[in-house]
Amino acid sequence: MSLQPQQHMYQKGVKHLCENGLTQVPNKYILPKPERPGIFVDDGCINLPVIDFTQLQGADRLRVLASLSKACQEFGFFQLINHGIGDEVTRKMIDVSKEFFELPFEDRQRYMSSDLHAPVRYGTSFNQNNDKVFCWRDFLKLSCHPLQDYSSFWPSSPLDLREAMGEYSKKTQNLYERVMEAILESLGVTNETAIFEQGNQLMMVNWYPACPQPQLTLGLPPHSDYGLLTLLLQDQVEGLQIQHNGKWVTVKPIPNSFVVNIGDQFEIFSNGRYKSVVHRATVNSMKSRLSVASLHSLNAYHNVTPSPILIDDLNPRLYRDTSYADFLDFLSSSDFKCKRFLESRKLH
């Protein structure tokens, strides 16, 4: 079925709309009133637990592991500082990402695809094949691990994109493995590390253009991340909000840090001990915002199952086995909102 001309225009992305002049948000992006960003919002910023990665390597390891466990149980999120990835690497990643979104539309358009499995995909909204209301967001999604299998598919413009993103993806993959090792240790499960090192890494580069009426729309709707763990790099523009104690609270960016959050796969693996928390992205009228999510998950056809070590008479199994392929099938066929996939995997 062919798209209506106006519908086709929205499929080209928010930046393309903005480049053609925009003074108000089109109806396609306006949320129903109960879903707009001003509802159930705490006006202040939340100070997420801060984990100092260097202290995990030293004499304080046990204390930091206890803090890590508390953060994963109570928030599902933490800020990671002194993580060992140099400022130059993260700055180049932010800069080259912004340069990509500044390319002429024709250069970006060649990477557009409706195939969720494509190794490189430029797109818009959240799930543009199914979204009834579009999100104020464009994205570039790159498959990254193992790097040698994918980097030749990546955009060749800007000229330094492959080098900058390749270096960044290697560093974040290594950091993910070390953080995951600590999270498993904090959970008391240390014999399954190898499973988590052989999975997928997706890089999701998100561009949220300045919006003339930010109170009417969202950059990303409420959702939880499907995978094991997400490492989020942000510029210093606020926009990430998490659901905490029944309210939406804004996460204040800390310079040179990563926001790390537990994904659905790890909530299943931990049998519900560590939480995959619903979050969203807001937009603003003054500044565009860029974020880079490094999404780490098990291989597409590898089932995640609750760890037997965490199941006993007092802690019965809560989730059925599931795979990333199950999730993609769900995403392709459903209006995906607010953890419904994870809810569908519960046994009780």
Side-chain angles (χ1 to χ4, degrees), residues 80-100:
L80 189 68
I81 61 170
N82 297 327
H83 44 70
I85 298 181
D87 294 353
E88 188 179 351
V89 174
T90 54
R91 189 176 65 250
K92 275 188 180 173
M93 183 67 200
I94 294 280
D95 289 348
V96 82
S97 298
K98 287 181 176 176
E99 286 169 24
F100 174 82

Side-chain angles (χ1 to χ4, degrees), residues 122-140:
Y122 176 64
T124 192
S125 195
F126 186 67
N127 178 4
Q128 70 197 82
N129 300 333
N130 286 359
D131 291 341
K132 293 180 179 66
V133 177
F134 267 29
C135 307
W136 201 261
R137 166 233 195 193
D138 295 340
F139 65 85
L140 176 67

Side-chain angles (χ1 to χ4, degrees), residues 22-30 136 211-214 216-217:
L22 203 64
T23 56
Q24 59 185 40
V25 172
N27 286 339
K28 182 69 178 171
Y29 296 86
I30 296 177
W136 201 261
C211 176
Q213 296 169 293
L216 299 180
T217 190

Side-chain angles (χ1 to χ4, degrees), residues 292-305:
V292 182
S294 184
L295 301 150
H296 300 266
S297 62
L298 293 176
N299 284 329
Y301 296 98
H302 190 124
N303 273 359
V304 62
T305 185

Side-chain angles (χ1 to χ4, degrees), residues 17-300:
L17 278 179
C18 294
E19 286 166 348
N20 286 284
L22 203 64
T23 56
Q24 59 185 40
V25 172
N27 286 339
K28 182 69 178 171
Y29 296 86
I30 296 177
L31 288 162
K33 282 186 178 176
E35 296 175 29
R36 290 179 192 173
I39 308 295
F40 301 119
V41 174
D42 191 317
D43 291 335
C45 285
I46 192 169
N47 292 316
L48 290 177
V50 175
I51 302 297
D52 186 330
F53 192 68
T54 54
Q55 292 181 356
L56 268 174
Q57 319 308 313
D60 266 354
R61 186 172 177 86
L62 287 178
R63 181 185 62 78
V64 180
L65 285 173
S67 300
L68 186 60
S69 179
K70 193 169 189 286
C72 293
Q73 288 179 66
E74 295 181 7
F75 290 88
F77 276 79
F78 57 89
Q79 302 252 31
L80 189 68
I81 61 170
N82 297 327
H83 44 70
I85 298 181
D87 294 353
E88 188 179 351
V89 174
T90 54
R91 189 176 65 250
K92 275 188 180 173
M93 183 67 200
I94 294 280
D95 289 348
V96 82
S97 298
K98 287 181 176 176
E99 286 169 24
F100 174 82
F101 288 104
E102 292 299 330
L103 290 173
F105 174 70
E106 293 69 31
D107 291 346
R108 288 176 274 136
Q109 183 183 28
R110 71 179 65 155
Y111 300 103
M112 281 192 156
S113 170
S114 58
D115 178 9
L116 297 178
H117 299 269
V120 176
R121 188 168 162 242
Y122 176 64
T124 192
S125 195
F126 186 67
N127 178 4
Q128 70 197 82
N129 300 333
N130 286 359
D131 291 341
K132 293 180 179 66
V133 177
F134 267 29
C135 307
W136 201 261
R137 166 233 195 193
D138 295 340
F139 65 85
L140 176 67
K141 186 175 85 170
L142 304 173
S143 295
C144 296
H145 185 66
L147 192 59
Q148 64 272 17
D149 290 359
Y150 295 113
S151 58
S152 62
F153 294 103
W154 293 358
S156 52
S157 183
L159 287 174
D160 52 351
L161 181 144
R162 289 182 182 178
E163 181 186 353
M165 291 195 174
E167 181 68 10
Y168 180 80
S169 71
K170 281 190 291 188
K171 299 278 191 190
T172 47
Q173 175 66 25
N174 180 258
L175 180 61
Y176 153 74
E177 290 173 8
R178 295 168 73 193
V179 172
M180 178 55 78
E181 189 180 306
I183 288 175
L184 288 169
E185 188 176 339
S186 77
L187 193 59
V189 181
T190 54
N191 61 342
E192 302 197 47
T193 311
I195 304 169
F196 297 110
E197 291 176 359
Q198 297 157 14
N200 293 330
Q201 180 189 21
L202 283 177
M203 199 74 69
M204 188 70 81
V205 186
N206 301 300
W207 182 246
Y208 305 102
C211 176
Q213 296 169 293
Q215 72 279 12
L216 299 180
T217 190
L218 283 167
L220 275 177
H223 68 284
S224 59
D225 293 348
Y226 170 70
L228 292 163
L229 210 62
T230 300
L231 279 64
L232 184 76
L233 175 70
Q234 308 180 79
D235 59 14
Q236 292 306 298
V237 180
E238 290 177 5
L240 173 65
Q241 292 186 334
I242 70 169
Q243 213 168 47
H244 188 65
N245 294 333
K247 285 197 169 183
W248 288 107
V249 286
T250 300
V251 174
K252 193 162 186 64
I254 297 177
N256 307 318
S257 73
F258 285 97
V259 175
V260 182
N261 65 281
I262 298 293
D264 293 353
Q265 281 187 336
F266 202 86
E267 179 168 330
I268 292 170
F269 174 80
S270 73
N271 202 38
R273 291 215 195 162
Y274 287 2
K275 303 300 182 194
S276 171
V277 169
V278 173
H279 52 287
R280 68 184 187 182
T282 60
V283 292
N284 73 83
S285 59
M286 304 299 290
K287 291 180 179 176
S288 297
R289 174 174 175 257
L290 183 111
S291 70
V292 182
S294 184
L295 301 150
H296 300 266
S297 62
L298 293 176
N299 284 329

